[in-house]
């Protein structure tokens, strides 16, 4: 009816500015919600990508640590183990890293200096020879290093263990063999001299007696030509021939030849 239309028109005239305001506010709210939603999705995507990078970085670090030929243990400031690689587990006698994660290093690691004294593993050190007793009470000789470093804005302690047990065993065997060889050298009835690159490095007393010297130490560091006449019977200079025959012996592993020596009194032998 005409009266109703006039009433509606009056209401619209009176409240039109409020209606417009509500519409505008509604539109702005919708636009704001859309913008916030987009921002949230963008932030979520960035966080997800960052998380993936962290996971990938951790995976790469773990792969590198597992590929290292030495044991690696990472401790927090309280001495609790937060990372241990497989090589360290094998050295300490533990089958699984999960068994030691969170444990204090001094509770699972029996480590002493090679001379038997205790070791302060919290102090930075590099390549210190130590004895590591594993879970099965077997001793291994290791080179131990400890470093302070910052990881994810936290101070941590990184320890590395290089197993040198086999190296030490081989060195001991070689030293024993060398000792037996030297004993045989000095006990031999024949005159024997050992040559280095260009000088005598050892000799027995028979060689010293043959050449007229009081003891074998007098022959050490001498070039063969010093114990020889100026020339050999074939006319070649002793110093030249000695160097040539030494080079031949080194190249093929042996060299047989006759040599004319000169004793202290000038007598040729």
């Amino acid at each position: 009816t005409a009266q109703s239309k006039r009433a509606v028109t009056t209401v619209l005239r009176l409240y039109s500015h409020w209606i417009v305001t509500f519409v505008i506010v509604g539109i702005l709210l919708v636009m704001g919600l859309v913008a916030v939603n987009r921002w949230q999705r963008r932030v979520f995507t960035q966080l997800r990508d960052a998380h993936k990078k962290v996971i990938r970085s951790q995976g790469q670090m773990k792969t590198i640590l597992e590929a290292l030929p030495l044991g690696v243990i990472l401790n927090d400031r309280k001495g609790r183990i937060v990372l241990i690689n497989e090589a360290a587990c094998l050295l300490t006698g533990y089958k699984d890293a999960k068994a030691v994660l969170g444990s204090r290093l001094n509770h699972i690691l029996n480590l002493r200096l090679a001379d038997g004294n205790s070791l302060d593993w919290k102090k930075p050190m590099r390549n210190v020879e130590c004895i590591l007793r594993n879970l099965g009470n077997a001793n291994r000789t290791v080179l131990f290093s400890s470093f302070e470093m910052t990881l994810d804005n936290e101070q941590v302690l990184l320890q590395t263990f290089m197993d040198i047990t086999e190296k030490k065993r081989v060195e001991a065997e070689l030293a024993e063999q060398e000792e037996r060889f030297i004993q045989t050298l000095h006990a031999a009835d024949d005159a024997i001299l050992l040559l280095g690159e260009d000088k005598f490095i050892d000799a027995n007393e028979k060689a010293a007696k043959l050449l007229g010297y009081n003891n074998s130490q007098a022959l050490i560091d001498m070039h063969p030509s010093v114990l020889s006449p100026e020339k050999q019977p074939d006319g070649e200079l002793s110093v030249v021939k000695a160097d040539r025959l030494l080079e031949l012996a080194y190249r093929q592993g042996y060299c047989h030849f006759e040599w004319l020596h000169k004793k202290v009194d000038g007598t040729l032998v």
Side-chain angles (χ1 to χ4, degrees):
T1 63
Q3 187 175 3
S4 298
K5 289 181 178 179
R6 283 196 299 273
V8 170
T9 301
T10 301
V11 170
L12 290 174
R13 188 181 301 116
L14 291 173
Y15 298 101
S16 60
H17 64 287
W18 289 107
I19 295 173
V20 172
T21 301
F22 285 142
V23 171
I24 292 174
V25 170
I27 293 173
L28 291 175
L29 285 173
V30 171
M31 292 175 64
L33 289 174
V34 171
V36 169
N37 185 52
R38 289 177 178 173
W39 177 80
Q40 287 178 332
R41 284 191 296 176
R42 185 166 62 251
V43 171
F44 175 77
T45 301
Q46 291 174 348
L47 290 174
R48 183 185 60 191
D49 292 343
H51 180 68
K52 287 181 178 179
K53 288 181 180 179
V54 171
I55 296 298
R56 185 164 56 250
S57 177
Q58 289 176 343
Q60 291 172 345
M61 184 176 70
K62 185 176 181 181
T63 300
I64 293 172
L65 289 177
E66 294 298 346
L68 291 175
L70 68 161
V72 178
I73 296 179
L74 194 65
N75 310 277
D76 63 16
R77 296 183 65 180
K78 295 182 179 180
R80 294 174 301 194
I81 298 174
V82 296
L83 184 148
I84 180 170
N85 69 350
E86 184 178 356
C89 286
L90 292 174
L91 271 174
T92 54
Y94 289 88
K95 295 182 179 180
D96 190 355
K98 295 179 181 179
V100 297
L101 289 177
S103 302
R104 293 188 180 275
L105 185 68
N106 59 332
H107 291 170
I108 66 105
L109 196 64
N110 189 340
L111 192 68
R112 289 188 171 274
L113 294 171
D115 59 10
N117 291 323
S118 59
L119 174 74
D120 186 357
W121 53 266
K122 293 182 180 180
K123 290 184 178 180
M125 61 190 73
R126 183 184 296 270
N127 292 335
V128 177
E129 187 173 319
C130 300
I131 302 299
L132 172 65
R133 176 169 293 182
N134 63 21
L135 197 60
N137 288 324
N139 289 335
R140 306 293 294 180
T141 306
V142 299
L143 286 180
F144 175 72
S145 298
S146 183
F147 311 88
E148 288 184 348
M149 59 182 293
T150 302
L151 185 65
D152 294 335
N153 297 321
E154 291 187 10
Q155 286 295 116
V156 295
L157 203 59
L158 176 69
Q159 279 107 15
T160 63
F161 309 81
M162 180 180 291
D163 190 352
I164 59 171
T165 306
E166 184 63 18
K167 177 176 177 291
K168 297 292 289 185
R169 185 189 65 80
V170 172
E171 287 178 349
E173 287 184 357
L174 289 176
E176 184 179 351
Q177 291 175 8
E178 181 179 359
E179 179 62 24
R180 287 201 300 265
F181 174 77
I182 295 300
Q183 290 176 357
T184 302
L185 166 72
H186 289 282
D189 288 332
D190 295 324
I192 302 176
L193 298 101
L194 294 183
L195 274 164
E197 292 185 1
D198 58 357
K199 60 186 178 182
F200 294 116
I201 59 174
D202 204 349
N204 61 6
E205 296 302 321
K206 295 291 184 181
K209 184 177 180 179
L210 175 68
L211 296 170
Y213 288 86
N214 294 328
N215 58 73
S216 60
Q217 288 299 312
L219 304 174
I220 306 303
D221 292 335
M222 282 189 179
H223 188 276
S225 62
V226 177
L227 303 174
S228 310
E230 181 181 3
K231 293 182 179 181
Q232 290 297 302
D234 60 2
E236 187 174 4
L237 290 172
S238 292
V239 64
V240 175
K241 189 170 185 177
D243 289 339
R244 179 173 60 81
L245 294 176
L246 280 172
E247 193 277 330
L248 178 63
Y250 277 117
R251 186 171 68 250
Q252 65 183 22
Y254 64 93
C255 185
H256 300 289
F257 56 89
E258 291 186 0
W259 191 265
L260 188 63
H261 277 293
K262 184 175 66 174
K263 300 174 64 173
V264 175
D265 61 6
T267 305
L268 299 179
V269 291

